[in-house]
Amino acid sequence: MELKNDKFSKDMADIAGKIDLSLNDNQKTLSIVSVNKKTSQEVLTANLAVNWSRYLKVLVIDLNFGSEVFKSVFTVKSESAKMSDLLSAQKSVNLSAVGKTQFENLNFIPAGQVIDNVNLRLQSKFFSDMLTELKVEFDRIILNGIMTDNLNDQLVALKISDANVVVVSKTSAKKKQISKLATNMHDLNIESLGAVYIY
Amino acid sequence: MLKNITHIILKRIILIVTTVIIFIVGSIVYLQFLSAPTYKASVQMIANDNVDQLPVYSTLLSDNQTFTQSILSIAKKTDNNIKADDTKALSLSYTAGNPLFSISATSKNAKSAAELANVGAAYFAANVGKYVFGVNVSILTKAVVPTEPVRPKRSQVLMLGVIMGFFIGIALAFIEELFVNRSLDNDYVTNVIGFKDLGAFSLDKKNVQQ
């Protein structure tokens, strides 16, 4: 994804820089979540990944099973690993099978098809071990959280990552939703790096 | 938490100030056009002997119908504005052991209040001896027509308007912030919810091409 124009690319570079400064050395997995399914959080995910890939080895993992939100953004070979296959088979990820995108240093694992018990699978030891393995290979792993109105699904991505960023859209988010998410994060002791606002 | 509350108040300060101004204007309108002012006039008197009888004088003025009806009929001869109800506003105030006391009258009309107080005091001085044996009271100073009403008190009404306007303004600010304006802005996310501001971007072509 090449950046659309100067203002947009400057904003994205600023956001990438701020998030980068907020992360500490131990925080390698970053989840991007939003309060409802209408928020275009994938725009932030993709642009963060592109910005960071200029000087870091970055992996984007999409958790939106059954949808292909990054289809027009990242070009990967069809035989590349998909999250649905990895979670269903419960086998270690073959690093050579992780899709390389058109951007240097930027890899991508698409979500793949819909699978059952997604939340349980994502919180399993298997997935935790897989992330640990990937952290050795990549400097930064971005989990594109499930884009849904279901709060519990959003919380899963927050729980399995080292850090998180909440994306808030002016046009689709409601105060009630963001308040509820913040309350749940507080109850679960999940700290957020902060919020990015789409206006 | 306190920081967030302060932020909401400062953010809606115009609403709060506007509410206070509306309440002040409302108070002034009430004072000028809606409230009927009440005036009070007093006559200073002295009990020349038998100070212990002052409580009896007070009862005489408030409870004796014949006494008050006589005062009313005399006062009406000089002031047609005086009504029967005005005699109920005749009162006697005193301090135990002190020979000085006063007879006061309240009325919606300033002149009537002064007239009623003067007539009441004169009648009282002349006729109290008929009811309480061997007493002697006299008038020290006559009542003058009051210029300022005793009710409503302008300063109190205005102060009440300011206080009510302030608190209702704050309540409106919170209602608007938390319930009415349901769409989010960056300020709400950062300062009310407490998420650190990591930046903003637009997907709108108009904003993007700035």
Side-chain angles (χ1 to χ4, degrees):
Chain A
M1 174 186 280
E2 210 31 73
L3 302 174
K4 290 177 185 173
N5 61 54
D6 287 340
K7 167 93 171 104
F8 183 83
S9 56
K10 187 179 174 302
D11 286 344
M12 281 300 174
D14 286 348
I15 294 167
K18 273 189 183 176
I19 295 174
D20 203 25
L21 283 171
S22 303
L23 288 165
N24 63 41
D25 293 341
N26 300 324
Q27 293 175 316
K28 281 197 165 185
T29 55
L30 174 76
S31 60
I32 308 292
V33 297
S34 52
V35 291
N36 62 29
K37 61 185 174 188
K38 290 178 184 170
T39 305
S40 306
Q41 67 178 52
E42 73 280 4
V43 176
L44 177 69
T45 303
N47 280 278
L48 278 182
V50 172
N51 269 285
W52 285 338
S53 69
R54 289 170 183 158
Y55 52 95
L56 294 171
K57 198 169 180 189
V58 180
L59 171 66
V60 173
I61 299 176
D62 186 23
L63 300 180
N64 291 278
F65 299 94
S67 67
E68 297 178 312
V69 288
F70 293 102
K71 191 179 179 182
S72 61
V73 181
F74 300 135
T75 313
V76 290
K77 289 177 184 172
S78 58
E79 62 268 26
S80 301
K82 292 183 177 62
M83 275 309 295
S84 56
D85 297 336
L86 293 169
L87 289 172
S88 300
Q90 297 220 346
K91 62 177 182 184
S92 261
V93 63
N94 178 2
L95 292 172
S96 61
V98 174
K100 294 186 190 310
T101 68
Q102 67 273 39
F103 301 98
E104 197 181 350
N105 290 330
L106 177 49
N107 295 65
F108 175 56
I109 302 179
Q113 68 213 27
V114 177
I115 52 171
D116 56 1
N117 297 324
V118 171
N119 288 351
L120 287 176
R121 289 177 196 273
L122 289 175
Q123 292 176 89
S124 66
K125 186 175 181 305
F126 163 73
F127 187 64
S128 173
D129 291 344
M130 189 175 119
L131 282 178
T132 307
E133 204 177 320
L134 290 168
K135 279 186 208 177
V136 178
E137 184 65 22
F138 296 96
D139 299 315
R140 198 149 292 164
I141 300 165
I142 305 174
L143 298 171
N144 187 53
I146 302 168
M147 292 153 73
T148 171
D149 291 335
N150 186 338
L151 185 65
N152 289 333
D153 290 345
Q154 294 156 354
L155 290 171
V156 171
L158 296 171
K159 284 175 73 178
I160 60 176
S161 56
D162 299 329
N164 65 77
V165 170
V166 178
V167 185
V168 180
S169 167
K170 179 189 176 183
T171 51
S172 61
K174 297 280 180 278
K175 286 180 178 177
K176 195 176 170 185
Q177 292 173 319
I178 190 83
S179 300
K180 203 171 172 184
L181 177 68
T183 307
N184 275 273
M185 287 173 71
H186 181 262
D187 291 346
L188 294 168
N189 288 323
I190 299 171
E191 288 265 344
S192 177
L193 290 182
V196 171
Y197 185 68
I198 304 176
Y199 60 94
Chain B
M1 187 68 175
L2 189 65
K3 189 183 162 193
N4 296 350
I5 291 170
T6 311
H7 181 81
I8 291 173
I9 291 172
L10 291 175
K11 188 180 169 187
R12 307 279 174 187
I13 194 72
I14 293 172
L15 173 70
I16 295 167
V17 170
T18 307
T19 313
V20 170
I21 291 169
I22 289 170
F23 270 77
I24 290 172
V25 172
S27 303
I28 293 168
V29 169
Y30 170 76
L31 287 169
Q32 290 295 114
F33 304 109
L34 301 176
S35 68
T38 303
Y39 296 90
K40 184 176 185 180
S42 298
V43 176
Q44 286 293 319
M45 302 185 77
I46 186 164
N48 298 317
D49 50 25
N50 219 351
V51 174
D52 296 341
Q53 292 295 317
L54 284 171
V56 182
Y57 303 167
S58 180
T59 311
L60 186 67
L61 199 62
S62 57
D63 294 348
N64 192 314
Q65 287 274 321
T66 316
F67 205 88
T68 52
Q69 284 304 313
S70 302
I71 293 170
L72 178 66
S73 60
I74 297 166
K76 283 187 91 169
K77 286 176 187 170
T78 52
D79 188 346
N80 286 329
N81 292 321
I82 293 173
K83 298 182 179 71
D85 277 355
D86 287 343
T87 51
K88 291 176 187 169
L90 269 172
S91 63
L92 186 148
S93 53
Y94 63 92
T95 308
N98 190 338
L100 293 173
F101 64 99
S102 63
I103 287 179
S104 305
T106 54
S107 172
K108 302 292 180 194
N109 185 303
K111 277 180 72 178
S112 300
E115 184 64 25
L116 196 59
N118 284 327
V119 170
Y123 186 85
F124 184 84
N127 295 283
V128 68
K130 294 178 188 173
Y131 297 90
V132 187
F133 181 73
V135 296
N136 180 16
V137 298
S138 49
I139 294 171
L140 280 181
T141 52
K142 281 190 163 186
V144 291
V145 178
T147 52
E148 285 291 318
V150 287
R151 286 192 304 270
K153 292 195 185 312
R154 298 182 76 84
S155 56
Q156 278 183 6
V157 171
L158 285 172
M159 188 57 72
L160 192 67
V162 171
I163 292 167
M164 280 182 70
F166 179 71
F167 283 108
I168 290 173
I170 287 177
L172 288 174
F174 276 88
I175 288 169
E176 188 178 354
E177 183 68 35
L178 300 174
F179 301 111
V180 178
N181 181 13
R182 295 180 65 214
S183 66
L184 283 162
D185 56 22
N186 200 9
D187 182 77
Y188 181 86
V189 174
T190 308
N191 292 304
V192 179
I193 297 296
F195 283 135
K196 184 181 166 189
D197 182 11
L198 294 172
F201 67 92
S202 174
L203 295 174
D204 188 340
K205 284 178 183 173
K206 287 176 197 167
N207 292 326
V208 167
Q209 285 168 353
Q210 283 173 4

